[in-house]
Amino acid sequence: MQQAEFEALLGRFSAAIEREGGAALAAVFTPDGVYTDVFYGAFRGREAIARMVDEHFWGHGENYRWEMREPVVSGDIGYARWTFSFDSRLEEARGRRVLWEGMSRFRLSGGLIADYAEVFDIAIALGQSNFAPERVARVAGKHIARLRERHAGSAHLPARPGSR
């Protein structure tokens, strides 16, 4: 994929989240594409991706803004830094503007997204949501467990007697 094509794809991606909805986001993914959201988990296939946007994103927030910056693409992989914000609809933070920055990785196929993943500091997002400390700790604990599971047995977490 060429740089200009990738930038156009990112524009469609952001517009779908900001104002067009789940069907529009699903359309930029391959039929079996995967969107892995840090909070909501992995969604496979266009139908699941559309539901994620319409039910989770739009159900929990409004007035979204997703600004992609510094996009880079090489062959079938692309990256972009971003700033993301929305007004919360969650009871604890209703109406509060939540803002954070992160980076996304896009695996591409045939001009569409085959696999999407993101990284950001979840504490910054959770800290703006007015959640009880126990809820923040529970969410962080799930992320820690998934991270350690992904790297179990690797050079980062070698199996050692008595190690955690």
Side-chain angles (χ1 to χ4, degrees):
M1 179 177 280
Q2 299 298 315
Q3 185 70 27
E5 293 171 300
F6 183 56
E7 290 177 19
L9 183 66
L10 294 179
R12 291 172 56 204
F13 182 98
S14 295
I17 298 294
E18 292 176 351
R19 64 188 170 278
E20 295 172 2
L25 184 66
V28 302
F29 278 79
T30 60
D32 62 344
V34 178
Y35 184 115
T36 303
D37 182 87
V38 167
F39 291 111
Y40 301 120
F43 295 82
R44 178 177 298 278
R46 288 180 172 156
E47 185 178 314
I49 291 167
R51 271 195 326 273
M52 176 200 64
V53 172
D54 295 341
E55 295 173 12
H56 294 292
F57 276 55
W58 287 16
H60 299 156
E62 60 189 351
N63 302 318
Y64 281 91
R65 179 77 177 114
W66 201 335
E67 178 187 5
M68 297 287 181
R69 295 187 315 281
E70 301 175 5
V72 177
V73 66
S74 179
D76 66 353
I77 193 161
Y79 292 92
R81 290 185 53 214
W82 44 259
T83 302
F84 183 79
S85 63
F86 66 95
D87 295 329
S88 179
R89 288 184 169 174
L90 297 174
E91 183 179 332
E92 302 92 333
R94 190 168 307 280
R96 180 177 284 185
R97 191 79 181 159
V98 180
L99 161 75
W100 68 87
E101 297 175 312
M103 183 173 278
S104 295
R105 188 260 306 135
F106 301 81
R107 292 199 190 279
L108 307 164
S109 178
L112 298 172
I113 301 165
D115 187 78
Y116 168 85
E118 58 197 11
V119 293
F120 59 86
D121 184 338
I122 64 166
I124 291 187
L126 292 173
Q128 297 173 73
S129 297
N130 205 30
F131 292 158
E134 303 79 34
R135 185 173 181 185
V136 172
R138 190 173 57 250
V139 171
K142 288 178 184 178
H143 287 274
I144 291 166
R146 279 186 279 210
L147 175 68
R148 296 183 72 82
E149 185 177 304
R150 281 194 310 270
H151 294 281
S154 74
H156 296 283
L157 294 174
R160 295 189 320 254
S163 68
R164 292 181 165 192

